[in-house]
Amino acid sequence: MSELPKPIEERIQHFLPRNLLHDLRTPLGHILGYSELLIEQMQESGHEEFIPHLEKIRKAGRELVVMMSENFKSK
Amino acid sequence: MPRILLVEDNEMNRDMLSRRLQRRGYEVLIAVDGQLGVEMAQAELPDLILMDMSLPTIDGWEATRALKAAAATKDIPVIALTAHAMSTDRDKAIEAGCDDYDTKPIELSRLLGKMETLLGQSGGSAGPTQ
């Protein structure tokens, strides 16, 4: 999506309700926050085998954050 | 142990952030709307306030203005937290009296850095004693 020609990107921003970005960020925050919390807990409790899976969830969440930030920059 | 007042109406955000802060040695007080946030800040005088801005009863901007207008609470640092990421949101929070601003999804290390800076400036310990 970062490769979109600017006119299309501008059109998408125009039609996206401002609250949609807010509403996307809230559950994304839950995914990231709980995956990071679980990683900490697994590290402490010695359940290292779960960590790679949780890292994948966190990584995917962070990629979504970057994607949103890059394509819907603050005005 | 620094006492943090978290003013947040979203149950999952409250649960997640309070647990992560408690794990780092902070004592976390909770208010679920703006009015309760103001009342709890006045009663408990926390070391720092994490203020969601989209809140029921009174929103975070109004709650912050009320806190900064009262002698007892005006020096308590307030960090605005919002899922809105527009530059105008940051300006609006600072105009309301917030000392700093952070966007959701929260990046904990970034938020902790801001908290420790403000706790250091306000004369408290810069971070929790572990």
Side-chain angles (χ1 to χ4, degrees), chain B residues 83-105:
Chain B
H84 290 296
M86 301 295 183
S87 56
T88 49
D89 294 308
R90 184 187 182 283
D91 296 342
K92 203 175 157 190
I94 299 300
E95 279 171 21
C98 293
D99 298 272
D100 210 336
Y101 171 93
D102 207 19
T103 54
K104 299 176 185 175

Side-chain angles (χ1 to χ4, degrees), chain B residues 112-122 126:
Chain B
L112 289 171
K114 291 177 179 181
M115 289 171 60
E116 286 167 15
T117 298
L118 287 169
L119 286 167
Q121 285 172 1
S122 65

Side-chain angles (χ1 to χ4, degrees), chain B residues 14-84:
Chain B
R14 281 199 306 270
D15 174 60
M16 179 178 63
L17 189 52
S18 63
R19 286 166 63 181
R20 300 189 78 191
L21 291 174
Q22 284 163 354
R23 289 168 63 80
R24 284 159 178 80
Y26 291 98
E27 180 182 347
V28 182
L29 310 167
I30 302 280
V32 300
D33 65 42
Q35 183 61 45
L36 287 172
V38 172
E39 291 171 11
M40 194 169 282
Q42 290 167 341
E44 300 286 343
L45 299 177
D47 297 303
L48 183 140
I49 298 170
L50 296 174
M51 180 76 76
D52 181 31
M53 303 314 272
S54 302
L55 290 167
T57 65
I58 61 173
D59 63 29
W61 293 280
E62 193 178 339
T64 301
R65 275 191 287 271
L67 292 169
K68 293 298 182 180
T73 53
K74 69 179 172 56
D75 294 325
I76 301 174
V78 177
I79 299 179
L81 301 177
T82 176
H84 290 296

